Amino acid sequence: MTAPSTSVIAARGVRKSFGRTEVLRGIDLSVAPGEVMCLVGPSGSGKSTFLRCVNHLETIDAGRLSVRGQLVGYEERGGRLYELSEKAVARRRRGIGMVFQRFNLFPHMTALENVCEAPVQVKREPRERARERARALLARVGLGDKADAYPSQLSGGQQQRVAIARALAMEPELMLFDEPTSALDPELVGEVLDVMRALADDGMTMVVVTHEMGFAREVGDSLVFMDDGVVVESGAPEAVLGDPRHARTRAFLSKVL
């Protein structure tokens, strides 16, 4: 089963449980090329789990989830799904960049080395070419002067921007952001959001789990409110934030706006 060619992500009836707790209870979503979708909702609503399923960091229990027309982590034969090998999953994952709450940089590597490591090791890119591209990416996120700095010498906001550059080094078609500013001091949030705004302006397809409602309103093309493992409401950010239809959405927004 393939997704419509117009969708970068197509989720139909996606379910996921951890033990007896059903975290995703039938998610239906689609993301168009160049779209910035923001996922909002209370903690434990399933937002981050769904994002991890898109990258096959978590397996789904039911439904269909496709990226660029290919099932995520599976292939279908005779009407049944079979999980792909880790090697095959890794190949499909190359087109997806992911930025986590924590920066997960290699502490013993400089910013430049962190950015060029995956293209060299995974894509077998010549090291000198990878280093050249890494310098360009660090400049793109405003860290051209920090190439030789180690993570311990960088602020949280700078480390997260290195993490974004590292994800971009694999030349992804889709970027996933899992609350990328939640671990940052408030004064450092803006510098990361500015980089994400620039990516959106460049036409990058993005799904962003966020509590930054201003960013969702300004940059998002669509906003999805999730609660208790389901999509409660979705639409244009201005409409959902300005005139929510559902009581659960109104209750949540009354606490965060």
Side-chain angles (χ1 to χ4, degrees), residues 38-57:
C38 294
L39 303 182
V40 303
S43 296
S45 58
K47 308 180 302 296
S48 294
T49 297
F50 176 74
L51 212 64
R52 291 174 65 84
C53 288
V54 171
N55 211 8
H56 203 62
L57 295 174

Side-chain angles (χ1 to χ4, degrees), residues 193-253:
L193 294 181
D194 285 344
V195 171
M196 295 170 65
R197 284 188 187 92
L199 286 177
D201 288 342
D202 289 343
M204 177 64 74
T205 308
M206 298 161 57
V207 181
V208 185
V209 173
T210 185
H211 294 294
E212 301 290 339
M213 297 301 164
F215 175 87
R217 186 191 300 268
E218 176 192 349
V219 181
D221 297 302
S222 59
L223 187 144
V224 175
F225 172 64
M226 290 179 62
D227 189 25
D228 197 25
V230 300
V231 173
V232 176
E233 187 165 350
S234 64
E238 199 61 45
V240 177
L241 296 174
D243 187 22
R245 300 187 305 273
H246 294 270
R248 275 193 288 175
T249 314
R250 291 194 291 271
F252 172 75
L253 293 177

Side-chain angles (χ1 to χ4, degrees), residues 133-154:
R133 286 185 54 248
R135 288 188 186 281
L137 287 168
L138 287 172
R140 183 177 178 183
V141 300
L143 294 173
D145 60 338
K146 299 294 185 182
D148 296 325
Y150 289 90
S152 62
Q153 298 171 312
L154 300 173

